[in-house]
Amino acid sequence: MFLFRGDFGCLLYTGDFRWETTSDRAKLARTTLLNALNDGGVDILYLDNTYCNPSYDFPPREFAAQQVINIIVSHPDNDIIIGIDSLGKEDLLLHIARVLKIKIWVWPERLQTMHLLGYDEIFTTKTSLTRVRAVPRYSFSVETLEGLNTMRPTIGIMPSGLPWVVKPSEGNDNLFGSLLTSRYNKSRCAESGWLQTDKSNGSLGSIERFHKYIYSVSYSDHSSYSEIEKFIKLVQPGNMKGIVSSSTCYVDPVYYFGRLCGVNQPVQNLRQKHKRKERDEMSLANKSSFSRSISTELARKLVRNMKVKFVRTQASRVSACRRIRCGAKILEDDYSD
């Protein structure tokens, strides 16, 4: 996090963060933040609002990481594929490597990143040294896992705050693709029988399995909805803005948490603001359409007028030529007597 103070006031920028309260590391972070604020208020909070929606509530990372360990241990004869981004989830991979005392395969570019972070002995690009591989998220799919299983038994694990759901095609029970969806869609999958539950992990509860080769684990480096709420209650900012605007699940944090800070903008006002914006956009679109129709009609009239003038000019020229050439021209001959 970054804290700025000056004539502009006090600004707190969270960046990507998890506000967990269960570990010693989280307690240290809380103490450090409160000491930095020094009983002073935050004028504007720039918040990681990736999961600023009640649909996204998931357990702490320690819990989710243990679920990943349990999945790997329960499949001793399988290769393991873990879908990750080009940056992030390092703590999860380190936890797996240290608990299971293994190396983890990563692709060459990711290995360079790990070396820059100081993890030289844990990661490798040699597949013969480990059965656990971390692959780019974009290559993690049902088709990939089905192809790998034609060569060796393989399972995939998708660690994400967004549940990884597989849906069947219409009129066919065969699973053909995958998508990220909200809890609402996930519940519909359960009702439809697409969602399976693996209760082999005992006291840790159930692990969601959306395909015979795919497990979904709610592990994220972004705060869940309940964690965001706790953080805002602690900081009590005068105003706040979300730093993630391109997310498909984007919600202005003021919409849900404006009541927890000094923002004089209740939910109803925010909704009215969005409605006014939509009306203005529609009005502008209608005006543009009307202007285009007027411009088009004017252009058509100009073209018609030009055609009429051109035809009249052509007609006048033809008439003149006809008048000149009309009748017989009499030539006078000179006769000598």
Side-chain angles (χ1 to χ4, degrees):
M1 296 186 185
F2 296 93
L3 183 65
F4 303 92
R5 279 199 180 95
D7 296 336
F8 48 80
C10 180
L11 311 181
L12 179 61
Y13 184 91
T14 66
D16 296 349
F17 82 115
R18 280 296 300 263
W19 193 249
E20 298 164 322
T21 57
T22 55
S23 64
D24 294 335
R25 181 180 176 183
K27 294 176 182 178
L28 178 61
R30 176 190 174 94
T31 302
T32 303
L33 176 61
L34 292 177
N35 290 339
L37 292 175
N38 194 23
D39 296 329
V42 173
D43 296 307
I44 301 179
L45 171 64
Y46 292 91
L47 179 71
D48 176 10
N49 57 317
T50 303
Y51 294 126
C52 186
N53 190 306
S55 298
Y56 304 111
D57 214 2
F58 35 83
R61 283 175 292 186
E62 291 182 5
F63 183 97
Q66 187 58 49
Q67 285 187 322
V68 174
I69 296 293
N70 290 343
I71 294 172
I72 296 173
V73 171
S74 64
H75 295 80
D77 299 324
N78 292 64
D79 285 349
I80 309 296
I81 301 297
I82 303 174
I84 61 172
D85 295 316
S86 57
L87 191 64
K89 304 293 192 300
E90 290 84 9
D91 289 342
L92 174 61
L93 299 179
L94 289 171
H95 180 74
I96 295 171
R98 289 167 180 168
V99 171
L100 300 180
K101 296 180 173 57
I102 60 172
K103 288 181 177 290
I104 295 179
W105 181 94
V106 292
W107 63 100
E109 293 80 7
R110 196 63 153 93
L111 183 64
Q112 293 178 359
T113 302
M114 293 304 190
H115 286 174
L116 290 173
L117 294 173
Y119 307 130
D120 298 327
E121 303 298 328
I122 297 176
F123 300 96
T124 180
T125 55
K126 297 180 179 180
T127 55
S128 59
L129 298 180
T130 180
R131 68 185 183 97
V132 178
R133 303 199 296 273
V135 302
R137 185 192 290 264
Y138 63 79
S139 67
F140 187 99
S141 66
V142 174
E143 291 79 6
T144 300
L145 286 163
E146 288 178 341
L148 291 172
N149 273 275
T150 61
M151 297 178 286
R152 278 187 55 81
T154 306
I155 62 166
I157 302 173
M158 176 54 68
S160 175
L162 291 170
W164 183 265
V165 174
V166 182
K167 66 176 183 179
S169 59
E170 294 182 3
N172 190 345
D173 292 333
N174 295 325
L175 298 171
F176 74 97
S178 55
L179 56 96
L180 291 174
T181 184
S182 66
R183 177 179 294 176
Y184 169 73
N185 287 333
K186 187 171 70 172
S187 63
R188 292 184 63 186
C189 291
E191 293 172 0
S192 303
W194 307 345
L195 176 63
Q196 301 176 19
T197 302
D198 189 339
K199 297 184 178 180
S200 60
N201 57 336
S203 60
L204 286 178
S206 62
I207 298 176
E208 292 165 350
R209 188 172 186 172
F210 296 105
H211 185 270
K212 61 181 178 179
Y213 300 138
I214 296 179
Y215 288 90
S216 174
V217 178
S218 298
Y219 184 101
S220 178
D221 291 328
H222 301 275
S223 293
S224 66
Y225 178 82
S226 60
E227 291 170 353
I228 293 174
E229 184 175 22
K230 292 176 183 177
F231 180 76
I232 294 174
K233 286 181 178 179
L234 176 69
V235 177
Q236 295 183 346
N239 200 349
M240 55 185 165
K241 298 179 180 179
I243 62 175
V244 180
S245 59
S246 60
S247 173
T248 55
C249 55
Y250 170 76
V251 175
D252 189 329
V254 174
Y255 187 90
Y256 286 112
F257 302 121
R259 56 187 169 78
L260 300 178
C261 58
V263 180
N264 295 320
Q265 189 178 18
V267 173
Q268 190 63 30
N269 290 347
L270 191 61
R271 289 175 178 170
Q272 291 176 358
K273 178 181 176 182
H274 289 314
K275 288 182 179 179
R276 285 196 301 270
K277 183 179 179 181
E278 290 178 358
R279 285 198 300 267
D280 292 342
E281 290 176 351
M282 291 180 63
S283 176
L284 181 61
N286 291 334
K287 287 181 180 178
S288 300
S289 177
F290 180 69
S291 299
R292 284 196 299 270
S293 63
I294 292 177
S295 301
T296 303
E297 185 63 26
L298 182 60
R300 288 175 180 171
K301 288 183 179 179
L302 290 173
V303 170
R304 283 199 298 269
N305 291 338
M306 290 176 65
K307 286 182 178 179
V308 170
K309 290 181 180 179
F310 179 75
V311 170
R312 287 177 179 173
T313 303
Q314 288 290 94
S316 61
R317 288 180 180 176
V318 170
S319 299
C321 291
R322 285 176 177 173
R323 284 197 300 270
I324 292 172
R325 296 177 181 177
C326 184
K329 186 176 182 179
I330 301 175
L331 297 176
E332 294 182 359
D333 294 332
D334 294 335
Y335 294 98
S336 57
D337 292 333

